[in-house]
Amino acid sequence: MKILSKTIGCEIAAGPGERLADIDPAIVVQLLKKDGYVYFTGYEPALAEFEAFTEQFGTCAGSRHVHYPEGGEALGFHAEDSYNPYRPDALWFMCLFEGSDGGAPTGAVDGVRLLAELSPRWQEFCRANTLRFERHWAEETWRLATGPAAREEIERVLASLPRFGHRFLPDGTLYTSYESPIVVTTANGDESFSNTMLQAMTEQTFYGMTLGDGAPVPEELAETVRRWTLEHEIEIGWSAGDVAVIDNYRMMHRRAEYHGKDRDLRARHCENLFGTRLPDDSTTLAAGVKSLIQSDVGLPVATGPLPTTV
């Protein structure tokens, strides 16, 4: 095993005959805390090997295909699930096949450096403000997620979620709101600009984002951050058989444009790699609420604040 450190991120290259299972998980966690992401090359694991290796790092969601739309559009910079209470500590990726267009990389930026290079004015603004995500779910959507549970049971689960608000409207629609910090603290103790602001501004019909006080994100701040991310983007991957893990509190990432065919990139959330405790989803109902909020069962029917007449 050979470890190559970079300014941001590091690479672990396999020696002759080495497998992922030979790597000490404690070394990976140490490197991830220090460097922001770890890239593994030369191991070429089967999917089952990848999943067995990642399960040593905490509670992991199932491996899913990274979706590439037919038009090949890119996805803006974001921290995974930072618009809801289920933000994982880290994201694992595995490339099974780079596709016909070659190994188009995943883009990433270092939120610690981004915050440090903002002006003092915007640094203080970001520390002092939050992002609010307001979404409305049609009755058929939330019932699909929660099954036969009574509304009182659903409300108890919703009320237990941190920084989360909800209200059932007279027509059966479920209104939800979530407040997320703009600046977070990494496992290494550093402040980081790591959130979903940029992506949410391009897709408001999905996110319904404002500042915590209901005002829009200042365009000057958004443009400053947008320009910085494009100038300091880091390319991660991809060749078939390579694996990476990204610190979801330090780094923001995005899907690059991809116009090829047959690419097979898998992603897996590692919820508590650094020990972060997420809301309990061990019951059928709690898991259903989580799937609703993460839009796994359907999209919000509307976004934005409650009507003034409600």
Side-chain angles (χ1 to χ4, degrees):
M1 181 178 77
K2 182 178 181 180
I3 300 175
L4 175 64
S5 290
K6 306 175 183 180
T7 304
I8 301 297
C10 71
E11 182 177 294
I12 299 179
E18 288 184 334
R19 313 299 300 178
L20 276 181
D22 299 326
I23 302 173
D24 182 353
I27 293 176
V28 176
V29 174
Q30 181 182 16
L31 291 171
L32 186 61
K33 281 184 178 181
K34 179 173 68 73
D35 295 325
Y37 76 88
V38 182
Y39 194 82
F40 306 79
T41 188
Y43 291 94
E44 300 184 359
L47 182 59
E49 290 179 82
F50 165 74
E51 292 179 338
F53 180 68
T54 56
E55 283 167 5
Q56 300 177 87
F57 295 88
T59 304
C60 291
S63 299
R64 60 176 176 81
H65 287 86
V66 174
H67 172 66
Y68 290 90
E70 291 185 6
E73 298 89 353
L75 192 66
F77 281 107
H78 61 284
E80 195 76 10
D81 278 327
S82 61
Y83 64 94
N84 67 60
Y86 302 97
R87 177 176 184 158
D89 279 351
L91 299 176
W92 286 93
F93 295 93
M94 178 182 177
C95 182
L96 290 175
F97 179 58
E98 61 264 35
S100 63
D101 202 28
T106 294
V109 290
D110 179 12
V112 172
R113 182 181 172 192
L114 193 167
L115 180 67
E117 295 189 7
L118 288 178
S119 69
R121 170 197 171 203
W122 287 125
Q123 287 180 8
E124 290 309 309
F125 181 91
C126 292
R127 292 186 182 106
N129 283 275
T130 60
L131 300 175
R132 179 186 296 164
F133 301 88
E134 296 179 283
R135 312 166 88 198
H136 305 245
W137 308 93
E139 183 171 7
E140 57 266 28
T141 302
W142 63 259
R143 286 199 181 278
L144 181 63
T146 58
R151 183 178 292 188
E152 292 77 13
E153 296 176 277
I154 300 168
E155 291 205 82
R156 279 195 292 272
V157 174
L158 292 170
S160 72
L161 301 177
R163 302 192 302 276
F164 196 83
H166 74 279
R167 185 170 175 181
F168 285 97
L169 306 186
D171 65 356
T173 298
L174 171 62
Y175 160 84
T176 63
S177 66
Y178 177 68
E179 289 208 23
S180 168
I182 298 175
V183 174
V184 296
T185 302
T186 71
N188 216 29
D190 298 314
E191 285 188 312
S192 176
F193 184 102
S194 181
N195 52 65
T196 300
M197 185 182 81
L198 290 183
Q199 171 59 19
M201 292 184 75
T202 69
E203 204 173 349
Q204 280 286 57
T205 56
F206 179 81
Y207 292 100
M209 184 195 71
T210 64
L211 294 178
D213 62 4
V217 172
E219 184 56 38
E220 182 184 343
L221 172 62
E223 183 55 32
T224 298
V225 173
R226 188 181 298 114
R227 184 171 58 252
W228 193 97
T229 59
L230 295 177
E231 291 174 354
H232 297 86
E233 184 173 8
I234 301 161
E235 295 185 344
I236 300 178
W238 291 108
S239 295
D242 286 352
V243 169
V245 60
I246 296 176
D247 181 343
N248 195 41
Y249 278 78
R250 176 170 178 176
M251 311 296 291
M252 294 189 292
H253 66 284
R254 73 173 185 132
R255 182 188 67 212
E257 285 191 13
Y258 180 73
H259 299 283
K261 296 180 179 180
D262 303 324
R263 185 172 189 185
D264 192 347
L265 182 66
R266 305 296 176 93
R268 194 173 201 198
H269 294 190
C270 194
E271 296 183 347
N272 53 2
L273 187 148
F274 295 129
T276 300
R277 294 187 63 182
L278 295 187
D280 176 46
D281 65 348
S282 60
T283 68
T284 300
L285 176 56
V289 167
K290 179 181 179 181
S291 68
L292 171 72
I293 294 169
Q294 293 182 320
S295 304
D296 291 335
V297 296
L299 300 178
V301 69
T303 59
L306 284 168
T308 56
T309 55
V310 174

Short mmCIF file of all heavy atoms in Angstrom, two decimals, residues 272-310:
data_model
loop_
_atom_site.label_atom_id
_atom_site.label_comp_id
_atom_site.label_asym_id
_atom_site.label_seq_id
_atom_site.Cartn_x
_atom_site.Cartn_y
_atom_site.Cartn_z
N ASN A 272 -22.59 7.58 9.88
CA ASN A 272 -21.94 7.97 11.13
C ASN A 272 -20.46 7.57 11.15
O ASN A 272 -19.95 7.12 12.17
CB ASN A 272 -22.67 7.36 12.33
CG ASN A 272 -22.86 5.85 12.18
OD1 ASN A 272 -22.42 5.25 11.20
ND2 ASN A 272 -23.51 5.24 13.15
N LEU A 273 -19.78 7.77 10.05
CA LEU A 273 -18.36 7.42 9.98
C LEU A 273 -17.56 8.15 11.05
O LEU A 273 -16.63 7.60 11.63
CB LEU A 273 -17.82 7.74 8.58
CG LEU A 273 -16.38 7.30 8.27
CD1 LEU A 273 -16.25 6.93 6.79
CD2 LEU A 273 -15.36 8.37 8.62
N PHE A 274 -17.91 9.41 11.33
CA PHE A 274 -17.23 10.19 12.36
C PHE A 274 -17.98 10.19 13.68
O PHE A 274 -17.66 10.93 14.59
CB PHE A 274 -17.04 11.63 11.89
CG PHE A 274 -16.13 11.79 10.71
CD1 PHE A 274 -16.53 12.52 9.61
CD2 PHE A 274 -14.87 11.21 10.69
CE1 PHE A 274 -15.70 12.69 8.51
CE2 PHE A 274 -14.02 11.36 9.61
CZ PHE A 274 -14.44 12.10 8.51
N GLY A 275 -19.04 9.40 13.77
CA GLY A 275 -19.79 9.30 15.02
C GLY A 275 -20.99 10.20 15.13
O GLY A 275 -21.63 10.25 16.19
N THR A 276 -21.36 10.90 14.06
CA THR A 276 -22.54 11.76 14.10
C THR A 276 -23.80 10.91 14.26
O THR A 276 -23.98 9.92 13.55
CB THR A 276 -22.64 12.58 12.80
OG1 THR A 276 -21.47 13.39 12.68
CG2 THR A 276 -23.86 13.48 12.82
N ARG A 277 -24.67 11.31 15.16
CA ARG A 277 -25.91 10.56 15.38
C ARG A 277 -27.03 11.19 14.56
O ARG A 277 -27.37 12.36 14.74
CB ARG A 277 -26.28 10.56 16.87
CG ARG A 277 -25.29 9.80 17.75
CD ARG A 277 -25.79 9.71 19.17
NE ARG A 277 -27.04 8.95 19.25
CZ ARG A 277 -27.70 8.76 20.39
NH1 ARG A 277 -27.28 9.29 21.52
NH2 ARG A 277 -28.83 8.06 20.39
N LEU A 278 -27.59 10.42 13.67
CA LEU A 278 -28.71 10.87 12.86
C LEU A 278 -30.02 10.43 13.49
O LEU A 278 -30.05 9.54 14.35
CB LEU A 278 -28.59 10.31 11.44
CG LEU A 278 -27.39 10.79 10.62
CD1 LEU A 278 -27.49 10.28 9.20
CD2 LEU A 278 -27.27 12.30 10.64
N PRO A 279 -31.15 11.03 13.08
CA PRO A 279 -32.45 10.60 13.63
C PRO A 279 -32.67 9.11 13.45
O PRO A 279 -32.29 8.52 12.43
CB PRO A 279 -33.45 11.43 12.82
CG PRO A 279 -32.69 12.64 12.40
CD PRO A 279 -31.29 12.17 12.15
N ASP A 280 -33.29 8.51 14.43
CA ASP A 280 -33.55 7.08 14.40
C ASP A 280 -34.49 6.73 13.25
O ASP A 280 -35.54 7.36 13.07
CB ASP A 280 -34.19 6.65 15.73
CG ASP A 280 -34.58 5.19 15.73
OD1 ASP A 280 -33.76 4.37 15.29
OD2 ASP A 280 -35.72 4.88 16.14
N ASP A 281 -34.10 5.75 12.45
CA ASP A 281 -34.98 5.28 11.37
C ASP A 281 -35.16 3.77 11.45
O ASP A 281 -35.35 3.10 10.44
CB ASP A 281 -34.43 5.69 10.00
CG ASP A 281 -33.09 5.04 9.68
OD1 ASP A 281 -32.48 4.44 10.59
OD2 ASP A 281 -32.66 5.11 8.51
N SER A 282 -35.11 3.25 12.68
CA SER A 282 -35.13 1.80 12.86
C SER A 282 -36.53 1.19 12.74
O SER A 282 -36.67 -0.02 12.54
CB SER A 282 -34.53 1.42 14.22
OG SER A 282 -35.26 2.02 15.28
N THR A 283 -37.59 2.00 12.89
CA THR A 283 -38.94 1.48 12.73
C THR A 283 -39.40 1.67 11.29
O THR A 283 -38.87 2.51 10.55
CB THR A 283 -39.93 2.19 13.66
OG1 THR A 283 -40.07 3.55 13.25
CG2 THR A 283 -39.44 2.14 15.12
N THR A 284 -40.41 0.93 10.90
CA THR A 284 -40.95 1.05 9.55
C THR A 284 -41.45 2.45 9.28
O THR A 284 -41.22 3.03 8.21
CB THR A 284 -42.09 0.03 9.34
OG1 THR A 284 -41.57 -1.29 9.53
CG2 THR A 284 -42.66 0.13 7.94
N LEU A 285 -42.13 3.05 10.27
CA LEU A 285 -42.66 4.39 10.09
C LEU A 285 -41.53 5.42 9.98
O LEU A 285 -41.56 6.29 9.11
CB LEU A 285 -43.60 4.75 11.23
CG LEU A 285 -44.15 6.19 11.22
CD1 LEU A 285 -44.86 6.48 9.89
CD2 LEU A 285 -45.08 6.41 12.40
N ALA A 286 -40.53 5.34 10.86
CA ALA A 286 -39.43 6.30 10.83
C ALA A 286 -38.66 6.20 9.52
O ALA A 286 -38.25 7.22 8.94
CB ALA A 286 -38.50 6.08 12.02
N ALA A 287 -38.49 4.98 9.03
CA ALA A 287 -37.82 4.80 7.74
C ALA A 287 -38.66 5.39 6.61
O ALA A 287 -38.12 5.96 5.65
CB ALA A 287 -37.55 3.32 7.48
N GLY A 288 -40.00 5.27 6.71
CA GLY A 288 -40.87 5.85 5.70
C GLY A 288 -40.82 7.36 5.69
O GLY A 288 -40.82 7.99 4.63
N VAL A 289 -40.77 7.98 6.88
CA VAL A 289 -40.66 9.43 6.97
C VAL A 289 -39.34 9.88 6.35
O VAL A 289 -39.29 10.87 5.62
CB VAL A 289 -40.77 9.89 8.44
CG1 VAL A 289 -40.34 11.35 8.59
CG2 VAL A 289 -42.20 9.69 8.94
N LYS A 290 -38.28 9.17 6.63
CA LYS A 290 -36.97 9.50 6.04
C LYS A 290 -37.04 9.42 4.51
O LYS A 290 -36.55 10.32 3.82
CB LYS A 290 -35.91 8.54 6.56
CG LYS A 290 -34.52 8.77 6.00
CD LYS A 290 -33.52 7.77 6.57
CE LYS A 290 -32.13 7.97 6.00
NZ LYS A 290 -31.17 6.98 6.53
N SER A 291 -37.65 8.38 3.97
CA SER A 291 -37.73 8.24 2.52
C SER A 291 -38.57 9.35 1.90
O SER A 291 -38.30 9.80 0.79
CB SER A 291 -38.28 6.86 2.14
OG SER A 291 -39.64 6.72 2.50
N LEU A 292 -39.60 9.81 2.63
CA LEU A 292 -40.42 10.93 2.15
C LEU A 292 -39.57 12.19 2.05
O LEU A 292 -39.54 12.86 1.00
CB LEU A 292 -41.60 11.16 3.08
CG LEU A 292 -42.41 12.43 2.80
CD1 LEU A 292 -43.23 12.27 1.53
CD2 LEU A 292 -43.31 12.77 4.00
N ILE A 293 -38.90 12.54 3.14
CA ILE A 293 -38.15 13.79 3.21
C ILE A 293 -37.01 13.80 2.21
O ILE A 293 -36.64 14.84 1.65
CB ILE A 293 -37.65 14.01 4.65
CG1 ILE A 293 -38.84 14.23 5.58
CG2 ILE A 293 -36.69 15.19 4.72
CD1 ILE A 293 -38.49 14.20 7.04
N GLN A 294 -36.44 12.63 1.93
CA GLN A 294 -35.36 12.53 0.95
C GLN A 294 -35.87 12.38 -0.48
O GLN A 294 -35.09 12.19 -1.40
CB GLN A 294 -34.44 11.35 1.30
CG GLN A 294 -33.67 11.58 2.59
CD GLN A 294 -32.74 10.45 2.93
OE1 GLN A 294 -33.06 9.27 2.74
NE2 GLN A 294 -31.55 10.78 3.41
N SER A 295 -37.19 12.45 -0.65
CA SER A 295 -37.84 12.40 -1.97
C SER A 295 -37.66 11.06 -2.68
O SER A 295 -37.65 11.01 -3.91
CB SER A 295 -37.33 13.55 -2.86
OG SER A 295 -37.52 14.79 -2.23
N ASP A 296 -37.53 10.00 -1.90
CA ASP A 296 -37.39 8.68 -2.51
C ASP A 296 -38.72 8.11 -3.00
O ASP A 296 -38.73 7.20 -3.83
CB ASP A 296 -36.77 7.69 -1.51
CG ASP A 296 -35.32 8.02 -1.20
OD1 ASP A 296 -34.66 8.65 -2.05
OD2 ASP A 296 -34.84 7.66 -0.11
N VAL A 297 -39.84 8.64 -2.51
CA VAL A 297 -41.14 8.11 -2.91
C VAL A 297 -41.91 9.07 -3.81
O VAL A 297 -42.94 8.71 -4.36
CB VAL A 297 -42.01 7.76 -1.68
CG1 VAL A 297 -41.37 6.66 -0.87
CG2 VAL A 297 -42.26 8.98 -0.82
N GLY A 298 -41.42 10.28 -3.96
CA GLY A 298 -42.11 11.25 -4.80
C GLY A 298 -41.56 12.64 -4.56
O GLY A 298 -40.89 12.89 -3.55
N LEU A 299 -41.86 13.55 -5.46
CA LEU A 299 -41.37 14.92 -5.37
C LEU A 299 -42.38 15.80 -4.64
O LEU A 299 -43.58 15.49 -4.62
CB LEU A 299 -41.12 15.48 -6.77
CG LEU A 299 -40.09 14.71 -7.61
CD1 LEU A 299 -39.98 15.35 -9.00
CD2 LEU A 299 -38.73 14.68 -6.93
N PRO A 300 -41.94 16.91 -4.04
CA PRO A 300 -42.90 17.82 -3.43
C PRO A 300 -43.84 18.40 -4.47
O PRO A 300 -43.45 18.65 -5.61
CB PRO A 300 -42.01 18.90 -2.80
CG PRO A 300 -40.71 18.81 -3.53
CD PRO A 300 -40.54 17.38 -3.91
N VAL A 301 -45.08 18.59 -4.08
CA VAL A 301 -46.07 19.15 -5.00
C VAL A 301 -45.91 20.66 -5.12
O VAL A 301 -46.35 21.27 -6.09
CB VAL A 301 -47.49 18.76 -4.54
CG1 VAL A 301 -47.87 19.47 -3.24
CG2 VAL A 301 -48.51 19.03 -5.62
N ALA A 302 -45.26 21.26 -4.14
CA ALA A 302 -45.00 22.70 -4.15
C ALA A 302 -43.88 22.98 -3.17
O ALA A 302 -43.51 22.13 -2.35
CB ALA A 302 -46.24 23.50 -3.77
N THR A 303 -43.29 24.18 -3.25
CA THR A 303 -42.28 24.61 -2.30
C THR A 303 -42.59 26.04 -1.87
O THR A 303 -43.40 26.73 -2.49
CB THR A 303 -40.86 24.54 -2.90
OG1 THR A 303 -40.81 25.38 -4.07
CG2 THR A 303 -40.47 23.13 -3.27
N GLY A 304 -41.92 26.48 -0.81
CA GLY A 304 -42.11 27.83 -0.33
C GLY A 304 -42.93 27.87 0.95
O GLY A 304 -43.37 26.84 1.47
N PRO A 305 -43.14 29.07 1.50
CA PRO A 305 -43.82 29.20 2.80
C PRO A 305 -45.28 28.84 2.73
O PRO A 305 -45.88 28.70 1.66
CB PRO A 305 -43.63 30.68 3.13
CG PRO A 305 -43.45 31.36 1.81
CD PRO A 305 -42.72 30.36 0.96
N LEU A 306 -45.86 28.70 3.90
CA LEU A 306 -47.29 28.43 4.00
C LEU A 306 -48.09 29.60 3.45
O LEU A 306 -47.69 30.77 3.60
CB LEU A 306 -47.68 28.22 5.47
CG LEU A 306 -47.32 26.89 6.12
CD1 LEU A 306 -47.50 26.99 7.62
CD2 LEU A 306 -48.19 25.78 5.55
N PRO A 307 -49.22 29.34 2.82
CA PRO A 307 -50.09 30.45 2.40
C PRO A 307 -50.54 31.26 3.61
O PRO A 307 -50.76 30.71 4.69
CB PRO A 307 -51.29 29.74 1.74
CG PRO A 307 -50.79 28.36 1.42
CD PRO A 307 -49.75 28.03 2.43
N THR A 308 -50.66 32.54 3.45
CA THR A 308 -51.04 33.41 4.57
C THR A 308 -52.45 33.13 5.07
O THR A 308 -52.80 33.49 6.20
CB THR A 308 -50.94 34.89 4.16
OG1 THR A 308 -51.75 35.11 2.99
CG2 THR A 308 -49.51 35.26 3.84
N THR A 309 -53.27 32.47 4.26
CA THR A 309 -54.65 32.18 4.66
C THR A 309 -54.78 30.92 5.48
O THR A 309 -55.85 30.63 5.99
CB THR A 309 -55.54 32.05 3.41
OG1 THR A 309 -54.99 31.05 2.55
CG2 THR A 309 -55.61 33.38 2.67
N VAL A 310 -53.69 30.14 5.58
CA VAL A 310 -53.78 28.87 6.32
C VAL A 310 -53.68 29.13 7.81
O VAL A 310 -52.83 29.90 8.26
CB VAL A 310 -52.64 27.94 5.86
CG1 VAL A 310 -52.63 26.69 6.74
CG2 VAL A 310 -52.81 27.55 4.42
#
